[in-house]
């Protein structure tokens, strides 16, 4: 038992030697009003900075990176929803790549007779989409949309609830097609597409004024896998014409990888430039009326990630705030106390010399009293 007790005492003594936080007895600690004031200010400052740091910890920001797109063998999906002010029997849609070979035909798309005029609900959706296209140009709004997972963004156009009594006067072309991941064009023109001896053409028997109206509305046009809530530049756009017009859209498609705390998606964003040309079908080399969407694939990939402060970094910053303020406050308190003591030491000798009475008069009175007492005793 003695050996065990001695071993415990020796181990405790060994741990005490490693103590770098020595404790002072309470009798050696003296509290003061100045120290209490400094402590109150110190705790207040620590609380304010800690709350500020916690608020900053909850915030996040969007980071944009660029890298070379190495995925060159995959297919590219095009999602289409376009309404053209023409009959479905007189128009056709397909896509060509840079080699002028038809990569897909209009059979992969759905042609649905529809009405070109919109209902009040659909008009409200179109106005809201167009206003969102203007507001999304601001970086702050784009970052907030990405962080919120596009929860507040627009959905697809609402369907028509009540059909008019008149027959449909337009054609809605919608669906998804797979194309090679190279530059190409998607177009809607008069006649059905046909390839004869590697020559692409559109055959139509109604190439007249009645079938040449290509007023159109792009309800949705995107690349890649469909992602709900993503806003594309051509969504909600509308073009009206009363003559033979060739509408051209020049797109630069950029592969985009979005990764936030709430969702992750691989999609393709694009920028667009528009050009409208009035053509005369009786003259050659002026083009043909129709809708031509020419796209080019960028060789770079944009990576959009949401970043924030890690929990370890947040804890380190809090510890730095607490320890730094405590140390700085202690040093300032000691330094101010030292200055006050130095000033008091310089003032106290002068004050004492002015306030203390002369000692000689007191001694004379004492001597007189002592003499009187001696005389009385005699």
């Amino acid at each position: 038992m003695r050996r065990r007790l001695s071993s415990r005492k020796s181990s405790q003594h060994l741990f005490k030697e490693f103590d770098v936080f020595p404790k002072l007895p309470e009798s050696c600690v003296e509290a003061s009003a100045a120290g209490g004031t400094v402590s109150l200010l110190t705790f207040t400052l620590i609380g304010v900075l800690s709350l500020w740091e916690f608020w900053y910890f909850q915030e996040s920001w969007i980071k944009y990176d660029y890298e070379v797109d190495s995925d060159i063998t995959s297919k590219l999906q095009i999602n289409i929803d376009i309404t053209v002010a023409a009959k479905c029997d007189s128009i056709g849609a397909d896509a060509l790549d840079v080699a002028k070979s038809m990569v897909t035909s209009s059979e992969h798309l759905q042609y649905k007779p529809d009405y070109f005029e919109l209902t009040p609900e659909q008009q409200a959706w179109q106005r809201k989409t167009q206003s969102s296209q203007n507001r999304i140009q601001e970086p702050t709004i784009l970052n907030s949309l990405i962080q919120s997972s596009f929860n507040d963004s627009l959905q697809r156009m609402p369907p028509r609830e009540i059909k008019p009594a008149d027959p449909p006067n337009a054609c809605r072309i919608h669906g998804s097609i797979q194309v090679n991941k190279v530059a190409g064009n998607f177009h809607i023109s008069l006649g059905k597409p046909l390839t004869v001896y590697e020559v692409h053409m559109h055959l139509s028997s109604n190439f007249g004024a009645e079938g040449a109206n290509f007023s159109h509305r792009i309800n949705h046009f995107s690349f890649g896998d469909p992602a709900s809530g993503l806003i594309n530049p051509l969504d909600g756009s509308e073009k009206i014409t009363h003559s033979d017009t060739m509408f051209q859209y020049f797109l630069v498609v950029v592969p985009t990888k979005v990764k936030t705390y709430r969702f992750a998606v691989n999609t393709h964003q694009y920028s667009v430039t528009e050009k409208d040309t009035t053509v005369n079908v009786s003259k050659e080399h002026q083009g043909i009326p129709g809708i031509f969407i020419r796209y080019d694939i960028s060789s770079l990939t944009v990576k959009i990630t949401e970043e924030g402060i890690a929990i370890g970094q947040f804890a380190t910053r809090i510890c730095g705030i607490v320890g730094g303020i405590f140390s700085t406050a202690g040093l300032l308190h000691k330094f101010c106390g030292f200055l006050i003591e130095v000033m008091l030491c310089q003032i106290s000798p002068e004050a004492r010399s002015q306030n203390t009475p002369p000692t000689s008069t007191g001694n004379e009175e004492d001597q007189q009293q002592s003499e009187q007492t001696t005389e009385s005793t005699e």
Side-chain angles (χ1 to χ4, degrees):
M1 292 294 293
R2 292 181 179 179
R3 291 181 180 179
R4 291 180 180 178
L5 292 175
S6 60
S7 62
R8 289 180 180 178
K9 291 181 180 180
S10 61
S11 62
Q12 292 178 358
H13 180 71
L14 180 62
F15 282 109
K16 287 182 179 180
E17 291 181 355
F18 288 101
D19 187 9
V20 295
F21 305 101
K23 310 300 186 295
L24 295 176
E26 295 183 358
S27 58
C28 299
V29 179
E30 181 180 359
S32 62
T37 304
V38 173
S39 300
L40 182 61
L41 294 176
T42 299
F43 286 118
T44 303
L45 184 59
I46 288 175
V48 172
L49 293 181
S50 297
L51 290 176
W52 179 269
E53 193 66 29
F54 180 73
W55 174 80
Y56 183 67
F57 170 71
Q58 292 181 328
E59 293 293 323
S60 61
W61 57 88
I62 301 300
K63 181 180 179 182
Y64 296 86
D65 293 325
Y66 302 91
E67 64 181 13
V68 178
D69 184 17
S70 59
D71 188 10
I72 59 176
T73 59
S74 63
K75 294 285 186 177
L76 180 62
Q77 179 173 309
I78 304 179
N79 309 301
I80 305 158
D81 189 356
I82 302 176
T83 303
V84 185
K87 296 182 179 180
C88 294
D89 297 336
S90 60
I91 59 176
D94 60 346
L96 300 175
D97 58 11
V98 290
K100 300 299 180 181
S101 60
M102 187 170 62
V103 295
T104 186
S105 64
S106 58
E107 297 177 356
H108 295 82
L109 300 173
Q110 298 181 12
Y111 293 75
K112 179 182 178 182
D114 203 349
Y115 298 91
F116 194 76
E117 294 76 14
L118 297 176
T119 61
E121 293 80 8
Q122 293 175 340
Q123 292 178 359
W125 173 88
Q126 187 181 24
R127 289 192 299 268
K128 190 175 181 181
T129 304
Q130 292 175 352
S131 63
S132 299
Q133 295 289 355
N134 298 328
R135 292 188 300 109
I136 202 173
Q137 303 298 328
E138 302 178 9
T140 55
I141 297 180
L142 179 60
N143 293 341
S144 64
L145 282 174
I146 294 174
Q147 292 174 342
S148 63
S149 306
F150 295 89
N151 291 330
D152 298 331
S153 57
L154 301 175
Q155 302 297 326
R156 298 294 179 89
M157 178 183 290
R160 185 184 300 270
E161 297 180 357
I162 302 176
K163 295 184 179 181
D166 299 333
N169 58 355
C171 181
R172 179 190 175 194
I173 304 175
H174 62 97
S176 300
I177 58 177
Q178 297 287 337
V179 298
N180 296 323
K181 200 173 181 181
V182 294
N185 72 86
F186 171 82
H187 57 272
I188 302 174
S189 182
L190 284 174
K192 299 301 179 180
L194 182 64
T195 301
V196 179
Y197 295 108
E198 299 182 357
V199 177
H200 177 71
M201 63 182 68
H202 282 252
L203 296 180
S204 175
S205 60
N206 297 324
F207 200 79
E210 182 180 357
N213 187 2
F214 277 94
S215 299
H216 62 279
R217 180 176 55 253
I218 302 178
N219 305 320
H220 179 75
F221 193 89
S222 63
F223 296 86
D225 297 332
S228 60
L230 292 179
I231 301 177
N232 300 280
L234 288 178
D235 293 353
S237 60
E238 181 176 307
K239 293 294 182 66
I240 304 297
T241 183
H242 300 284
S243 59
D244 296 333
T245 306
M246 180 173 62
F247 298 96
Q248 298 185 76
Y249 299 92
F250 301 92
L251 278 59
V252 178
V253 184
V254 181
T256 307
K257 299 179 180 179
V258 183
K259 183 178 181 182
T260 65
Y261 294 153
R262 301 180 182 179
F263 80 111
V265 63
N266 294 335
T267 182
H268 292 74
Q269 298 298 294
Y270 61 87
S271 61
V272 59
T273 304
E274 304 176 6
K275 181 181 179 181
D276 304 339
T277 306
T278 302
V279 298
N280 189 353
V281 295
S282 61
K283 296 182 180 181
E284 298 181 355
H285 307 294
Q286 284 196 358
I288 58 175
I291 305 168
F292 298 86
I293 302 177
R294 309 179 190 276
Y295 56 89
D296 190 10
I297 310 299
S298 176
S299 59
L300 296 178
T301 300
V302 179
K303 296 179 64 178
I304 304 176
T305 56
E306 183 180 3
E307 294 186 352
I309 299 179
I311 185 66
Q313 186 178 0
F314 170 71
T316 303
R317 294 167 72 100
I318 291 295
C319 292
I321 289 174
V322 176
I325 292 178
F326 262 115
S327 301
T328 305
L331 291 175
L332 290 177
H333 179 57
K334 291 181 180 179
F335 182 72
C336 293
F338 174 73
L339 291 179
I340 293 173
E341 289 180 358
V342 171
M343 294 174 64
L344 291 177
C345 289
Q346 292 179 356
I347 295 174
S348 58
E350 298 177 357
R352 289 176 183 176
S353 62
Q354 294 178 0
N355 296 328
T356 55
T359 57
S360 59
T361 57
N363 294 331
E364 291 177 354
E365 291 178 355
D366 293 339
Q367 290 178 359
Q368 291 176 0
Q369 290 178 359
S370 62
E371 290 176 354
Q372 291 176 1
T373 53
T374 54
E375 290 177 356
S376 60
T377 53
E378 291 177 354

